[in-house]
Amino acid sequence: MTTLSVSHLTVNYQQVPALRNVSFTLAPAQVVGVIGPNGAGKSTLMKALLGLIPVVTGTLTYGDRPLSQQRQRVAYVPQRSHLDWTFPTTVWDVVLMGRVVSTGWLRQFSTASKRLAMAALERVGMADLRDRPIGQLSGGQQQRVFLARALVQQADLFLLDEPFTGVDQKTETLLFEVFHELAAAGKLVMVIHHDLGAVVKEFDRLILLNKELIATGDRRQVMTADNLLRAYGGLAHFGQAA
Amino acid sequence: MLSWILEPLQFAFMQRSLAIAVAVGIICAAVGCYLMVQRLALLGDALSHSLLPGLAIAYIIRIHLYVGAFIAALVSTYLISLIHRRSPVKEDAAMGVVLSGFFAAGITLITVIQKDNKIDLAHFLFGNLLAVTADEVRDTALIALVVVVSIILLYKELLFFSFDPQGAEAAGLPTQRLHLGLMMLVALTVVASMKAVGVILVLAMLITPAVTAYLLVPRFHHVMLASVVCGVCSSIAGLYLSYYFNLPSGPAIVLVLSGIFAIAFAWHQWQKTRAPSATIF
Ligand SMILES: Nc1ncnc2c1ncn2[C@@H]1O[C@H](COP(=O)(O)OP(=O)(O)O)[C@@H](O)[C@H]1O
Ligand SMILES: [Mg+2]
């Protein structure tokens, strides 16, 4: 069984701590929500898992080896607002980017890769729009394209940064459908979500962060008035509405 | 019409100029596409200005001018990223500082040595396409070959890296090396272009074809092809204009490029008014 374990993780930006001493373990085959207020270090946690930023202390293991030796098992969907949507590229080209590393240097995409890309686009309902420039997609459609790109990586661990921000209801439903399918196939899906709306019910497990780990467990263990007060401070009432 | 085209080609110097203009038109237009999508137009400018001191030093210590220029361009990119990484100074400001410092050093050095040697500062600043030698044609062709082959071989990696650098790094691509490789391609390109248009106008050769193509077609490799077509056509047209009307060749090429961009821009505006609902759906 491939467990993700984060132990005593501390991350700084120019000496200012963004995450302090965070530890948790996650079993596979579940959809995990990472929640917490703005600036809580949720994106930082994901970037540390991905090796995009240096960690000060802490170990990240996946299965019985360091996560850093198993990058090809991880798929990442960056925050939509951090991408350049005016870039001259199409849905199809973006999805194929998920096959670049497995294709290898100096090679062209194989027929198998193209078939995977087509299947992923069909799964997210974007096959008809595959030739469309990415700048002409709605927020929900953009998010589906990136989900398709993650799917073709055939990873075991999926990390998604705020996939629900600015997407329509239909896309939200579809995203959760796919997440649950992945979990049913034994994958671990970690999803950052910054508010505490009704969707929190959809997660099998939650990680509540605010610079440090406030709580982790199922919804009832995490969403207590006390935890929310510690994470959100005066805004805790906003959480209890969920 | 045909004789109008063929007449200049009976001269060996025009054949050489044309060869260089086409080679430079291709590689500037291709490499410029990466600079455009990565918002690094200013870096192209910085690299081209900063190769001047390398040229002068190469002249003094008698090594190949292109080698000196290439090294100076790489040193300047390194300094820009050093200043940017080690201090709160933003990248564009760092580029401004390094670009102007290197440029000033280059002008000073060349002014000092040009009295004793038969070199002319103006030729480096504005190019001297009609006076290229057979050796320069050979070197430029070699550089063009390296640049084009590199882009073809690294196409899918460079596209992923340019569009989504963090995603590419997370997926396991060596993004720092890709960035360095790209900077070396830019440096090679500006070195090769110096003869054709000079260091001041090379920015136009890099960026104008790319943005023109960007207004016309939606996929990156189409943008690159359209950009190359635009770059090559402008180089040839500019060269003929310069031959027949006795204009400086570098500025003539850039004027043609600007004209094509203006037409593409007008066409783009007209498309927008014609089909206002064709955008976000
Ligand atoms: N590149 C960076 N440089 C400096 N500080 C950063 C950087 N990225 C994030 N931070 C800071 O680190 C903290 C956590 O950020 P982040 O992980 O993005 O939070 P979240 O995703 O939970 O909103 C914030 O205070 C933010 O300002
Ligand atoms: Mg964030």
Side-chain angles (χ1 to χ4, degrees):
Chain A
M1 202 163 86
T2 326
T3 306
L4 174 69
S5 74
V6 170
S7 121
H8 305 291
L9 175 68
T10 296
V11 179
N12 289 353
Y13 288 112
Q14 283 108 37
Q15 274 92 53
V16 183
L19 283 177
R20 257 189 320 259
N21 200 25
V22 171
S23 302
F24 57 83
T25 54
L26 296 173
Q30 53 180 345
V31 183
V32 180
V34 179
I35 53 176
N38 265 325
K42 305 181 296 294
S43 298
T44 302
L45 171 65
M46 247 175 214
K47 286 177 187 164
L49 287 170
L50 290 158
L52 294 177
I53 47 173
V55 305
V56 180
T57 62
T59 50
L60 309 168
T61 22
Y62 189 51
D64 47 14
R65 284 189 298 143
L67 180 60
S68 58
Q69 294 172 8
Q70 306 173 72
R71 294 272 175 253
Q72 71 288 353
R73 297 180 71 184
V74 187
Y76 172 50
V77 174
Q79 218 167 318
R80 200 162 52 84
S81 58
H82 289 183
L83 290 154
D84 175 11
W85 295 102
T86 66
F87 195 100
T89 192
T90 57
V91 168
W92 179 247
D93 288 339
V94 170
V95 175
L96 275 178
M97 286 176 195
R99 299 297 302 165
V100 165
V101 172
S102 48
T103 298
W105 299 93
L106 312 183
R107 286 165 195 273
Q108 294 193 319
F109 294 115
S110 64
T111 320
S113 285
K114 290 178 186 162
R115 226 177 281 134
L116 272 174
M118 201 55 214
L121 280 174
E122 269 158 15
R123 179 63 194 91
V124 302
M126 290 290 290
D128 292 343
L129 298 181
R130 66 180 180 277
D131 294 324
R132 186 168 287 198
I134 54 166
Q136 293 176 18
L137 301 174
S138 70
Q141 291 169 333
Q142 291 175 343
Q143 200 63 59
R144 292 172 194 214
V145 173
F146 270 75
L147 178 61
R149 187 181 86 173
L151 290 175
V152 301
Q153 284 181 256
Q154 300 189 300
D156 296 314
L157 174 56
F158 289 79
L159 304 177
L160 299 98
D161 199 341
E162 304 216 9
F164 299 113
T165 305
V167 307
D168 50 289
Q169 188 57 49
K170 206 173 117 206
T171 300
E172 188 179 300
T173 311
L174 178 121
L175 288 177
F176 271 117
E177 256 174 51
V178 174
F179 295 165
H180 290 306
E181 276 172 28
L182 289 169
K187 319 281 187 187
L188 175 58
V189 185
M190 279 177 84
V191 182
I192 291 181
H193 191 57
H194 81 262
D195 71 46
L196 302 171
V199 301
V200 168
K201 285 198 296 293
E202 296 274 350
F203 295 113
D204 302 317
R205 188 182 161 130
L206 293 172
I207 292 176
L208 179 59
L209 279 183
N210 192 2
K211 306 277 179 204
E212 49 189 22
L213 184 72
I214 306 281
T216 175
D218 66 23
R219 189 157 52 99
R220 235 165 299 146
Q221 292 165 307
V222 172
M223 302 287 278
T224 64
D226 186 41
N227 284 338
L228 292 172
L229 188 69
R230 279 172 62 207
Y232 287 83
L235 291 170
H237 60 279
F238 158 70
Q240 283 167 333
Chain B
M1 176 72 185
L2 198 63
S3 69
W4 193 83
I5 291 171
L6 290 179
E7 191 224 286
L9 294 179
Q10 60 188 299
F11 303 109
F13 82 92
M14 272 304 279
Q15 293 168 6
R16 290 196 297 269
S17 311
L18 193 68
I20 290 217
V22 169
V24 162
I26 293 172
I27 55 176
C28 281
V31 165
C33 290
Y34 291 106
L35 293 177
M36 171 186 69
V37 294
Q38 296 190 25
R39 294 164 203 222
L40 290 177
L42 189 59
L43 190 65
D45 206 27
L47 277 182
S48 56
H49 281 72
S50 56
L51 56 79
L52 268 194
L55 269 180
I57 292 169
Y59 209 93
I60 296 166
I61 64 173
R62 294 181 196 291
I63 56 170
H64 198 301
L65 293 192
Y66 284 10
V67 174
F70 179 68
I71 293 173
L74 285 188
V75 169
S76 81
T77 6
Y78 177 73
L79 287 178
I80 290 167
S81 84
L82 183 86
I83 294 172
H84 166 63
R85 274 184 291 119
R86 296 282 176 85
S87 74
V89 174
K90 299 274 185 295
E91 197 161 16
D92 59 336
M95 282 180 208
V97 171
V98 173
L99 175 164
S100 47
F102 270 61
F103 193 48
I107 291 177
T108 311
L109 278 172
I110 291 177
T111 313
V112 170
I113 63 173
Q114 74 179 353
K115 294 194 191 85
D116 314 316
N117 301 279
K118 289 194 193 63
I119 58 169
D120 186 348
L121 177 61
H123 289 171
F124 296 119
L125 296 185
F126 304 110
N128 188 16
L129 190 50
L130 298 181
V132 293
T133 64
D135 279 358
E136 282 166 340
V137 173
R138 182 203 60 204
D139 295 346
T140 308
L142 204 66
I143 291 180
L145 192 70
V146 170
V147 172
V148 170
V149 169
S150 307
I151 289 178
I152 292 173
L153 291 182
L154 298 176
Y155 180 79
K156 67 183 189 309
E157 285 82 8
L158 283 175
L159 176 64
F160 190 3
F161 163 66
S162 299
F163 172 56
D164 178 11
Q166 286 213 318
E169 193 181 343
L173 284 183
T175 48
Q176 304 222 341
R177 262 176 281 164
L178 283 172
H179 178 75
L180 181 68
L182 197 57
M183 288 309 107
M184 289 173 73
L185 293 184
V186 178
L188 280 174
T189 301
V190 295
V191 167
S193 314
M194 187 171 65
K195 257 295 172 177
V197 287
V199 300
I200 295 183
L201 288 177
V202 69
L203 180 64
M205 298 283 285
L206 288 167
I207 222 67
T208 311
V211 294
T212 305
Y214 176 65
L215 290 178
L216 304 178
V217 286
R219 267 175 101 177
F220 191 72
H221 61 275
H222 294 158
V223 169
M224 200 178 265
L225 286 177
S227 173
V228 165
V229 169
C230 168
V232 169
C233 291
S234 307
S235 285
I236 296 173
L239 191 63
Y240 276 90
L241 285 176
S242 127
Y243 176 85
Y244 280 108
F245 300 99
N246 199 24
L247 305 173
S249 50
I253 293 173
V254 174
L255 282 173
V256 176
L257 277 174
S258 310
I260 297 178
F261 171 77
I263 294 169
F265 181 76
W267 183 82
H268 185 256
Q269 293 300 303
W270 178 71
Q271 284 282 309
K272 250 185 9 189
T273 52
R274 217 177 49 129
S277 58
T279 47
I280 306 292
F281 132 87

